[in-house]
DNA sequence: AGCATTGTCGATCACCGATAACTTATCACC
DNA sequence: GGTGATAAGTTATCGGTGATCGACAATGCT
């Protein structure tokens, strides 16, 4: 009685949402987020464009949903990287690499979470909750990942093996350092980078050397 | 009622162009690049919207022009920072700070140069020159700044005071590390950062320690 | 004066994200 | 089986966007 049976009237009902997300992910990865229109998504998904808005309030919400899903994968990967983890610089570097590899594997999700332009909305914010717009949920997912860094750094900090005596400061600059490489490789792939593998290795080594004793 | 100026033949070529750039810079700084329309720019500049296209081919070109101008300032600042420069870690850190301060002082220019989404254009590039679109000239200006980093690192490298034995690799990861902090502070100012001054100091110290012996 | 050039504008195009109003299909219930 | 409620999808449309076109006014040159 209370149970609301999942209706599947015309399309596959609940599966529609997945179809939309699949279509959007494919298009986003292919042409970038802002270059994809809702009409294109709808066409791939096999529905009319307004039908999207039965499942997502805005186009950005579609990107946000894809983003949180991708970050769930990152969280999983980093958790795996810390199984049987002993705080050695080698393992430290391994975790940093997981972060970088994830960003390069999911550039669109990464862009939505950390690189997209937010609507600043000065004093004229007409939104109900200006902080929880597009960057809200993805940013929350990003914070969860950041928490892992804090945890990692704290381990070394407790052993007195960090350079900074402020674990939070060390975590934030470490994260920023990682983000820099990922963001630049995503945003400017045509830059004459050196060999990518060497680049990543050098970067991770620099960060580790700069953060740990 | 709207006595919108019937004519504005006053502008003498170059002056109009400056007025447009001034209007755009003001609006970009105020509301972000993608939230500003050509009509808004035109209204502030005191001309009609189509008149913009007599001076700039696209809206992105306006942002690009502002960007290269801003980067000229950065080049100037970094040149000043290297006057009477002796390759000590202290001076090294000072130059890194110049870069960070610039990015935070000109977030819109920085975003256009290094953070904006480029139209990837797979094999179906219908543009005349896919690489010289929005990111073209700003990227060139950015490369000029990057060259200063290469120069700086090369000095230490020649003295055998760099960690990496590849000066180019060291330059690129150093730049990436700097970019990370600037980009994150611009894109996610609402993140619970620690005190900004301490954050920058810690970051610069980490990068220096990670790159120099 | 006459004429070409230049600069500007109103009108307009194709497209965008989002919404309104309407139609259709499915369900719960009697 | 009939009936009303409602979820899901559609067409039509809105205001706004970047960009283009043809007409026209202002200017400079001969």
């Amino acid at each position: 009685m209370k149970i609301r049976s999942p209706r599947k009237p015309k399309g596959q009902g609940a599966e529609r949402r997945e179809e939309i997300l699949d279509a959007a992910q494919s298009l986003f990865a292919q042409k970038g987020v802002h270059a994809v229109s809702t009409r294109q998504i709808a066409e791939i998904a096999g529905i009319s464009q307004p039908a999207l808005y039965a499942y997502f309030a805005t186009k950005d919400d579609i990107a946000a949903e894809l983003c949180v899903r991708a970050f769930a994968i990152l969280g999983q990967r980093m958790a795996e990287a810390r199984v049987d983890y002993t705080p050695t610089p080698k393992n430290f570097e391994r975790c940093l690499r997981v972060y970088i590899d994830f960003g390069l594997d999911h550039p669109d999700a990464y862009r939505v979470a950390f690189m997209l332009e937010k609507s600043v909305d000065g004093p004229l914010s007409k939104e109900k909750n200006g902080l929880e717009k597009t960057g809200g949920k993805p940013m929350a997912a990003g914070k969860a990942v950041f928490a892992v860094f804090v945890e990692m750094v704290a381990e070394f900090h407790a052993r007195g093996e960090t350079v900074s005596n402020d674990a939070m400061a060390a975590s934030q600059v470490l994260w920023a350092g990682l983000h820099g490489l990922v963001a630049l490789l995503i945003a400017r792939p045509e830059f004459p980078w050196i060999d990518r593998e060497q680049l990543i290795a050098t970067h991770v080594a620099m960060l580790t050397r700069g953060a740990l004793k």
Side-chain angles (χ1 to χ4, degrees), chain A residues 62-81:
Chain A
I62 300 177
E65 173 107 9
L66 289 173
C67 176
V68 299
R69 293 189 175 206
F71 270 83
I73 298 176
L74 174 57
Q76 185 179 344
R77 285 196 193 175
M78 294 194 72
E80 291 171 3

Side-chain angles (χ1 to χ4, degrees), chain A residues 5 16 30 37 59 84 95 101 113 117 146 148 164 181 190:
Chain A
S5 55
R16 274 274 185 270
Q30 185 180 346
S37 71
K59 172 188 168 185
D84 296 333
C95 287
D101 290 340
E117 190 168 6
F146 173 69
V148 180
S164 170
L181 188 64
E190 80 284 0

Side-chain angles (χ1 to χ4, degrees), chain A residues 74 77 94-107 178 182 196-197 200:
Chain A
L74 174 57
R77 285 196 193 175
R94 185 159 53 89
C95 287
L96 302 194
R97 259 181 183 278
V98 168
Y99 184 94
I100 293 177
D101 290 340
F102 166 81
L104 299 179
D105 285 346
H106 303 82
L178 281 174
V182 175
R196 179 164 291 200
E197 185 56 34
I200 296 175

Side-chain angles (χ1 to χ4, degrees), chain A residues 1-9 13-14:
Chain A
M1 188 175 289
K2 301 288 183 63
I3 299 175
R4 297 174 57 93
S5 55
R7 300 191 175 189
K8 302 179 182 178

